[in-house]
């Protein structure tokens, strides 16, 4: 059972998931602070390269199963054309109305 995106608790995280699922790279990039960082399975990655490869060029899609930490931690069934579907955890650091860091990895 997934949570409808428009019901996610944190408005910035909600906008992040909406941009990912719409394949809207411009909206996604507008949500990031200029110095935003991210990690995948505990290793820091280049955010532009990673998001292009893992989200935008491979039709990434997030089905949120649950949220915690006021909507800033998500358990997600994530799928893309490269890896298929997997359970992942996403943690967000939100600064104002922008994401300054996100961490993802297998759940």
């Amino acid at each position: 059972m997934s949570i409808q995106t428009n019901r996610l608790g944190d408005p910035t995280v909600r906008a992040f998931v909406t941009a990912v699922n719409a394949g809207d790279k411009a909206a996604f990039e507008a949500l990031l602070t200029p110095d935003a960082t991210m990690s995948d399975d505990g290793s820091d990655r280049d955010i532009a390269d990673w998001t292009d490869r893992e989200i935008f060029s491979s039709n990434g899609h997030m089905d949120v199963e649950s949220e915690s930490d006021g909507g800033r931690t998500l358990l997600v069934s994530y799928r893309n054309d490269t890896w298929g579907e997997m359970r992942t955890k996403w943690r967000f650091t939100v600064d104002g109305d922008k994401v300054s860091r996100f961490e993802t990895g297998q759940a």
Side-chain angles (χ1 to χ4, degrees):
M1 188 73 185
S2 59
I3 299 173
Q4 290 179 324
T5 303
N6 64 358
R7 296 186 180 273
L8 293 174
D10 185 280
T12 303
V13 172
R14 184 184 323 132
F16 181 102
V17 174
T18 299
V20 167
N21 289 349
D24 189 338
K25 193 171 186 176
F28 177 87
E29 290 173 346
L31 287 167
L32 302 177
T33 63
D35 58 348
T37 60
M38 59 93 42
S39 70
D40 183 9
D41 283 328
S43 299
D44 274 30
R45 305 282 185 205
D46 178 273
I47 199 165
D49 175 64
W50 188 93
T51 56
D52 184 60
R53 190 176 66 251
E54 298 290 338
I55 297 174
F56 296 106
S57 68
S58 61
N59 298 305
H61 190 87
M62 301 172 78
D63 283 320
V64 179
E65 295 178 10
S66 65
E67 64 178 352
S68 57
D69 189 29
R72 294 192 177 173
T73 300
L74 305 178
L75 188 60
V76 173
S77 178
Y78 186 78
R79 66 180 182 272
N80 67 22
D81 294 345
T82 306
W83 304 107
E85 192 163 324
M86 67 191 89
R87 262 181 124 207
T88 55
K89 188 171 208 170
W90 297 67
R91 284 190 190 93
F92 297 89
T93 304
V94 176
D95 185 7
D97 61 354
K98 303 230 186 248
V99 174
S100 59
R101 181 169 176 82
F102 68 91
E103 300 168 5
T104 184
Q106 292 199 43

